[in-house]
Amino acid sequence: MTDQRAVNIVMIEDDEGHARLIEKNIRRAGINNNIRHFTDGTSALDYLYNDPSGPSHNGPSLILLDLNLPDMSGTDILAKVKSDEKLKLAPVVVLTTTDDKVEIQRCYDLGCNVYITKPVNYENFADAIRQLGLFLAVIQVPDPQPA
Amino acid sequence: MPINLQLSDRRFNRLALLGIALGFALLLGALATVVTSFNAGQSSTELVRHTDKVIDQLSLLNVELERAESGRRAYLLSPNVYRLQTYRDNVRIAPQTLDRIAGLTSDNPVQVENVAKLRGLLRLQLADMQRSMALVQANRTVLAQAEFAAASPNSIIRKVRGVTEDMRGTELGLLSERSAKLDQTVARMRRLLFATGIMLLLVGAASFWLVRRYTVDLTRTRDRLHVLNTDLEGAVLERTAELQRANEEIQRFAYIVSHDLRSPLVNVMGFTAELEETNKSLVEIMDRAEREAPQIVTDAMRHAREDLPEAIGFIRSSTQKMDRLINAILKLSREGRRTLTPEMLPMDRVLADIVASMEHPIDNAGASVEVETPLPNLVGDRLAIEQIFSNLLDNAVKYLDPARAGRIVVRGRSKRGRNIYEVEDNGRGIDARDHERVFDLFRRSGPQTQPGEGIGLAHVRALVHRLGATIDLESTLGQGTMFRVSFPETFSDQGVAE
């Protein structure tokens, strides 16, 4: 793994406040990877599929996904990502306020890698993000262009 | 439904019975009238016959006396055996005839008197004739003829005739009097019979009308029932679907609202924490400034240093409370959407398990819980039933009166197709004005000595209603509380809870 192959963090989150808090905590956990933030599903999917620096063309990515988006459901994005040959390699972390068991199970069934409930208790939230940092450190990013 | 226009079964039965009884009574009355009239007619005939007989006998007596007299006269003129015989025969039978008259008229004092008169006259006449005959037989015919001639102008026979005429008159008078009376009776009876007939007709008509109306009512009701039966299923389905739709909407609403409320709450909490962090460094700077250059620190800054943590503390505790409330709504909405699975629950075991799981708080409260076995078993959703009873027991343990040893009793019984369970404590009780309120979401009663959001009983009631059961409470402040849950014997899921 080299610096050029650093993992891009794609954050799909419609709430600016949440996005800011997530980013702060990611940074506080000592993770300095690039973060691309999208507030709606359409532009996020556009980036994921078509952007030259996006995960389908280039570097490895980690997707942080909120389930409640204004234009589509997060699970729709999850399903699309996980049904795409290239994109499905990117780990997806679902980060949402829903702690409904049915919803969680559905996300795991669709292939999400981690499901984190946004707790109102901020300390827990910060902890969860820090755990995410650990997760980021240990993920193995497959080489998109095998030698 | 025009139920007020219809006869109730009881009223109809009473009226019908009354009609029949009245009809029978009238028939009996009519029969009695007919019998009486017939008897009166017979009496009338009897009377006429009687009078005829008396008159007949009176005439007979006259005739006999006349014949005896003419026998005597003829004999006086020319004695002859045949004439003697006529005289003797009639003299012999005349008293017998008089006896018969006496017998026939013994009931009438006037006639009895007349008969006595007749008897006297008869005796005189007979004696007179006897004497004439005896004189003739002794060949003193001339004397006899002279005596006879002397007596003839005011003859006894004429007197007898007068008396019998009187008697005949009296008898005829009596007859017409009695006949008139009888005629009156008969006329009265006829009127009575007529009236009875009319009343019978009326009762018959009324009964007919009553039965007809009742039958019409019955037919209408039956038709309506038929229509209802046919429509019922559709109507029930339709309404159930409507209700379910409404319920689902409320559920979805609660779910979405609680979710969407959580999202800004995350921000409020998050940035409050950030603010706190920032404030910490600001306070450090201020502390340093106060130490090194106190002249630049103003009073306003000092106040801010104290006020900020306080404000942040309030924001924090409020958001935490809000989070708990939202979670409660979420929990209720989720509970409402859970699928219930009915199973036969051995309630003795279920309650024993709940009590065992609460051993620690029960011991801490120094309370005793008694389950009065056997409890009636119940078909229901295990989780829902467990939640209902553990909530009730939990409340009982939480709100005991510290002044006395806690005693909690659980008992149950089956009554008229329902299984009724009671959880009774001798705790601090609930004020009467809060008896309904305690079941409302976020509402609590009495001194707030225990943590909680006022969710437990709201949850219990939602579950109870969903199981088609009812819950109520009896409580006296300072004496204790009894919650009573009444389940239908058969399990039914009332759909999504409210």
Side-chain angles (χ1 to χ4, degrees):
Chain A
M1 214 197 275
T2 63
D3 281 348
Q4 287 86 357
R5 310 292 309 278
V7 177
N8 269 324
I9 297 174
V10 180
M11 178 163 65
I12 309 170
E13 167 67 70
D14 69 318
D15 191 310
E16 298 281 0
H18 290 193
R20 186 85 187 96
L21 288 172
I22 291 165
E23 199 184 332
K24 265 177 180 286
N25 278 285
I26 288 174
R27 296 291 176 238
R28 211 169 275 154
I31 300 162
N32 294 311
N33 301 43
N34 186 30
I35 298 175
R36 292 294 305 264
H37 176 211
F38 299 93
T39 54
D40 62 273
T42 318
S43 55
L45 281 176
D46 184 54
Y47 170 79
L48 289 175
Y49 280 103
N50 306 321
D51 196 275
S53 61
S56 60
H57 294 100
N58 197 7
S61 293
L62 171 88
I63 300 169
L64 289 181
L65 182 62
D66 182 22
L67 289 187
N68 299 315
L69 293 171
D71 54 348
M72 64 182 76
S73 157
T75 46
D76 293 343
I77 297 177
L78 179 61
K80 279 200 174 106
V81 167
K82 286 299 171 187
S83 59
D84 186 272
E85 272 309 310
K86 281 182 177 168
L87 283 180
K88 75 173 176 194
L89 299 171
V92 176
V93 176
V94 173
L95 195 58
T96 187
T97 44
T98 312
D99 60 353
D100 187 50
K101 285 193 186 89
V102 181
E103 197 84 317
I104 295 172
Q105 191 54 50
R106 201 157 135 238
C107 287
Y108 279 121
D109 288 347
L110 285 170
C112 110
N113 301 73
V114 181
Y115 187 104
I116 297 173
T117 306
K118 288 178 197 164
V120 175
N121 184 315
Y122 189 64
E123 281 69 34
N124 293 356
F125 185 67
D127 274 350
I129 303 289
R130 236 163 273 144
Q131 303 278 325
L132 187 65
L134 290 176
F135 175 75
L136 202 59
V138 297
I139 48 169
Q140 298 191 335
V141 182
D143 196 335
Q145 288 156 342
Chain B
M1 205 154 146
I3 201 92
N4 51 337
L5 286 176
Q6 292 183 352
L7 291 163
S8 72
D9 279 0
R10 259 183 75 185
R11 205 166 139 237
F12 170 76
N13 285 340
R14 216 179 299 147
L15 282 175
L17 206 66
L18 188 74
I20 290 170
L22 208 62
F24 268 111
L26 285 171
L27 271 180
L28 274 180
L31 190 68
T33 316
V34 168
V35 168
T36 316
S37 298
F38 181 72
N39 279 348
Q42 257 196 345
S43 305
S44 176
T45 321
E46 204 61 44
L47 277 178
V48 172
R49 199 176 292 152
H50 173 82
T51 308
D52 282 351
K53 218 186 226 168
V54 172
I55 290 170
D56 193 37
Q57 292 298 320
L58 284 171
S59 310
L60 195 62
L61 183 65
N62 277 334
V63 169
E64 280 161 5
L65 279 181
E66 297 286 353
R67 282 166 86 179
E69 178 65 16
S70 50
R72 168 172 75 154
R73 282 186 202 173
Y75 197 71
L76 280 183
L77 295 176
S78 108
N80 158 318
V81 178
Y82 172 70
R83 286 168 184 165
L84 183 66
Q85 190 57 43
T86 304
Y87 162 79
R88 278 188 182 152
D89 282 352
N90 284 294
V91 160
R92 186 170 45 79
I93 58 174
Q96 288 170 8
T97 307
L98 185 60
D99 282 348
R100 272 202 296 279
I101 292 168
L104 284 170
T105 60
S106 61
D107 57 335
N108 190 322
V110 179
Q111 300 293 59
V112 168
E113 206 175 293
N114 283 332
V115 168
K117 231 183 264 172
L118 272 182
R119 254 188 229 288
L121 291 170
L122 184 65
R123 207 178 302 123
L124 283 177
Q125 173 68 12
L126 289 181
D128 187 50
M129 285 191 294
Q130 184 69 41
R131 186 178 158 76
S132 297
M133 297 308 272
L135 284 175
V136 174
Q137 277 168 349
N139 290 323
R140 297 168 69 181
T141 310
V142 180
L143 181 64
Q145 280 172 342
E147 275 181 13
F148 176 74
S152 32
N154 45 3
S155 88
I156 300 167
I157 290 289
R158 204 169 293 147
K159 283 183 191 158
V160 167
R161 215 175 276 145
V163 174
T164 51
E165 207 51 52
D166 278 358
M167 285 186 80
R168 194 177 284 128
T170 309
E171 207 57 39
L172 283 172
L174 262 178
L175 175 66
S176 68
E177 197 179 301
R178 282 179 186 168
S179 289
K181 216 177 269 171
L182 275 174
D183 281 352
Q184 250 177 0
T185 312
V186 168
R188 207 165 48 235
M189 288 300 158
R190 203 169 289 150
R191 281 199 297 277
L192 199 66
L193 199 62
F194 186 70
T196 313
I198 296 233
M199 275 169 79
L200 256 177
L201 263 179
L202 283 178
V203 168
S207 301
F208 177 76
W209 176 79
L210 194 73
V211 169
R212 199 181 139 67
R213 202 174 114 180
Y214 190 66
T215 315
V216 167
D217 277 356
L218 270 184
T219 314
R220 198 183 301 136
T221 314
R222 194 199 56 202
D223 288 353
R224 212 183 145 69
L225 257 182
H226 182 68
V227 170
L228 277 180
N229 270 340
T230 331
D231 281 3
L232 198 61
E233 221 159 294
V236 164
L237 275 178
E238 201 174 299
R239 278 176 203 176
T240 312
E242 256 168 48
L243 265 181
Q244 253 163 4
R245 212 161 34 237
N247 261 333
E248 273 162 24
E249 215 151 281
I250 292 170
Q251 291 300 331
R252 217 163 24 240
F253 177 74
Y255 188 76
I256 290 172
V257 162
S258 46
H259 260 108
D260 290 4
L261 284 178
R262 269 188 114 185
S263 196
L265 215 52
V266 168
N267 279 334
V268 175
M269 278 309 271
F271 287 104
T272 309
E274 293 293 331
L275 212 58
E276 211 173 13
E277 283 301 312
T278 318
N279 189 45
K280 264 184 206 153
S281 42
L282 279 180
V283 167
E284 264 170 41
I285 291 168
M286 261 190 66
D287 287 350
R288 216 177 117 201
E290 216 165 18
R291 272 199 312 276
E292 294 170 8
Q295 72 283 359
I296 62 163
V297 180
T298 61
D299 274 358
M301 286 164 78
R302 284 198 190 89
H303 284 307
R305 185 174 54 184
E306 283 148 29
D307 289 351
L308 259 171
E310 193 191 33
I312 288 168
F314 276 121
I315 294 173
R316 210 176 251 271
S317 62
S318 296
T319 35
Q320 270 162 1
K321 168 139 197 195
M322 197 159 166
D323 183 46
R324 285 200 301 273
L325 299 184
I326 288 168
N327 278 338
I329 298 176
L330 255 181
K331 190 180 157 200
L332 279 183
S333 107
R334 223 169 259 159
E335 198 53 56
R337 298 199 293 182
R338 197 169 65 81
T339 315
L340 299 184
T341 34
E343 57 177 303
M344 176 52 99
L345 298 173
M347 290 303 279
D348 289 350
R349 259 300 281 292
V350 171
L351 262 297
D353 287 352
I354 295 172
V355 172
S357 74
M358 291 175 59
E359 203 184 323
H360 194 61
I362 290 170
D363 284 352
N364 275 357
S368 68
V369 178
E370 188 195 333
V371 179
E372 284 181 6
T373 50
L375 295 170
N377 289 339
L378 189 65
V379 177
D381 180 80
R382 180 180 282 275
L383 197 59
I385 299 289
E386 279 175 356
Q387 279 177 335
I388 289 169
F389 285 102
S390 45
N391 261 306
L392 291 180
L393 280 169
D394 188 49
N395 272 358
V397 173
K398 266 190 188 166
Y399 300 108
L400 286 169
D401 192 331
R404 52 179 176 266
R407 204 179 121 74
I408 299 158
V409 183
V410 182
R411 63 178 85 83
R413 62 184 189 276
S414 280
K415 194 180 165 195
R416 273 189 244 124
R418 296 189 78 84
N419 287 340
I420 299 164
Y421 302 90
E422 292 171 354
V423 178
E424 186 171 13
D425 63 58
N426 62 346
R428 70 188 207 189
I430 300 168
D431 197 323
R433 65 197 159 90
D434 285 341
H435 283 185
E436 265 305 311
R437 214 173 141 268
V438 287
F439 290 109
D440 291 342
L441 190 59
F442 305 144
R443 297 287 173 270
R444 308 175 80 199
S445 171
Q448 303 294 298
T449 54
Q450 299 283 342
E453 310 301 333
I455 292 158
L457 284 177
H459 187 201
V460 165
R461 189 170 65 172
L463 286 171
V464 159
H465 284 177
R466 193 172 169 196
L467 292 168
T470 57
I471 184 165
D472 59 354
L473 69 86
E474 280 171 23
S475 181
T476 313
L477 198 59
Q479 288 185 16
T481 307
M482 185 191 72
F483 281 95
R484 187 187 300 113
V485 195
S486 165
F487 293 94
E489 226 164 37
T490 48
F491 174 84
S492 69
D493 186 348
Q494 301 294 308
V496 184
E498 58 197 63

